[in-house]
Amino acid sequence: MSVLDVKPEYVGQADVGVVGLATMGANLCLNILDKGFSLAVYNRTSATAEKFVTDNRAKYGDKLTGAANFEDFAKLLKKPRRAMILVVAGPVTDGVIQSLSDVFEKDDIIVDTGNAHFKDQTDRANMLEAKGLRFLGMGVSGGAEGARKGPAFFPGGTLSIWDEVKPIVEAASAKAVDGRPCVTMCGKGGAGSCVKMYHNAGEYAILQLWGEVYAAMRGAGMTGDEIKAKLSSWKARGDLDSYMLDITIEVAGHKNAESPSGFLVDVTGDAIGSKGTGLWSVQVAMEVGCPCP
């Protein structure tokens, strides 16, 4: 008997479902479970879902269930159903949305957390609302560690959803220094993904700033240890303290035995990857005639 077989006592018991158990999905699941909610999971590769449930059942008991197909996944969820999608953005996400819409019923909720363009999220919201379903395009910021310990969320879509997902999302979110959850309903359609897009753009601008600070210090002849010490003294002042400064300090001082200077940054390729949100931010600013320096 598989742990993904649906027992009668599991039907309609899960507070929320998660589709996709890669690093982000698995970590967000554990975060939600730690907050006391019951959870159902589904993964395209059933063996992955089976392993996740088996590995964590001892800790979470019957609060964690899993399904081998979308029909059984839908059976596990309380009505109106609430499901979060954590799969690759684009056609894969569209496929999951279609599969869920085939088994979900009126007023059920689909939440996409991918880095989708906000215009695509608006189209998805309109399409699902026409079927009687409800949709959130909800960006997530914080990476795998944030998903586990508490990310920032950027929801946007059907406004009537918010009160129904708010307790789960706020509980799982990061908390500001004053205790407020790092999440707010951003507006209709793709508003959440639009805010997340510009949140990313802001991060990239700050990282560019710290990159230029590092380059200036390195050009002035400072060693990695000296740069780390100087940046740490700035952090201690308080007004510059941030996660972006924290990771810059860590990278600046990271040692590497194969580097002539002894520091990893001097043997690191001068190149970055991209998820597209920075480019989209500039393109949209140009479309509406707004400066975006």
Side-chain angles (χ1 to χ4, degrees):
M1 184 175 182
S2 169
V3 294
L4 301 185
D5 291 339
V6 177
K7 298 179 180 178
E9 60 267 31
Y10 292 162
V11 172
Q13 293 303 304
D15 294 316
V16 64
V18 169
V19 177
L21 290 171
T23 304
M24 282 288 290
N27 281 337
L28 185 60
C29 285
L30 296 175
N31 179 352
I32 291 170
L33 286 163
D34 283 343
K35 302 306 185 295
F37 297 100
S38 55
L39 177 77
V41 299
Y42 169 82
N43 195 77
R44 182 177 59 84
T45 305
S46 294
T48 301
E50 190 162 358
K51 184 178 187 304
F52 182 82
V53 174
T54 300
D55 290 349
N56 294 287
R57 179 60 66 76
K59 180 176 181 180
Y60 298 110
D62 291 345
K63 282 188 172 293
L64 173 60
T65 55
N69 54 64
F70 283 107
E71 290 81 3
D72 285 348
F73 178 71
K75 291 176 184 177
L76 294 171
L77 301 174
K78 292 178 182 176
K79 296 182 180 181
R81 300 175 179 91
R82 298 174 286 192
M84 297 185 184
I85 301 172
L86 288 100
V87 300
V88 178
V92 176
T93 295
D94 287 327
V96 171
I97 290 174
Q98 182 60 55
S99 295
L100 287 175
S101 67
D102 289 342
V103 296
F104 275 16
E105 299 172 323
K106 186 178 184 299
D107 290 333
D108 287 349
I109 297 167
I110 296 174
V111 181
D112 173 39
T113 66
N115 271 311
H117 196 290
F118 72 93
K119 294 180 180 179
D120 293 335
Q121 299 293 52
T122 298
D123 291 342
R124 288 167 174 161
N126 292 336
M127 180 268 291
L128 290 171
E129 288 167 17
K131 294 182 177 182
L133 300 172
R134 294 179 289 169
F135 177 78
L136 282 183
M138 186 170 72
V140 180
S141 180
E145 184 177 2
R148 182 67 183 89
K149 298 178 180 178
F153 291 106
F154 304 82
T158 312
L159 298 179
S160 65
I161 292 178
W162 186 230
D163 287 340
E164 297 184 37
V165 300
K166 182 177 180 179
I168 297 171
V169 176
E170 287 192 342
S173 73
K175 305 301 184 291
V177 291
D178 61 2
R180 288 182 299 164
C182 296
V183 55
T184 190
M185 182 64 173
C186 297
K188 297 179 180 179
S193 295
C194 185
V195 174
K196 171 59 163 58
M197 178 180 76
Y198 278 105
H199 165 86
N200 282 18
E203 284 188 337
Y204 302 154
I206 294 168
L207 287 172
Q208 176 71 19
L209 172 66
W210 289 126
E212 292 180 14
V213 167
Y214 173 87
M217 291 180 173
R218 194 77 178 87
M222 296 172 67
T223 68
D225 284 333
E226 290 171 333
I227 296 171
K228 179 179 180 180
K230 177 56 71 175
L231 294 177
S232 296
S233 73
W234 291 359
K235 172 181 169 63
R237 286 179 9 187
D239 55 339
L240 293 176
D241 186 18
S242 73
Y243 177 70
M244 296 297 163
L245 179 54
D246 288 343
I247 60 177
T248 304
I249 291 169
E250 181 179 345
V251 170
H254 197 89
K255 303 291 178 58
N256 181 272
E258 298 177 9
S259 173
S261 68
F263 292 93
L264 177 64
V265 103
D266 292 318
V267 289
T268 300
D270 189 13
I272 60 167
S274 172
K275 294 180 178 178
T277 48
L279 175 62
W280 297 341
S281 297
V282 175
Q283 290 172 331
V284 171
M286 291 178 67
E287 287 175 9
V288 299
C290 180
C292 189

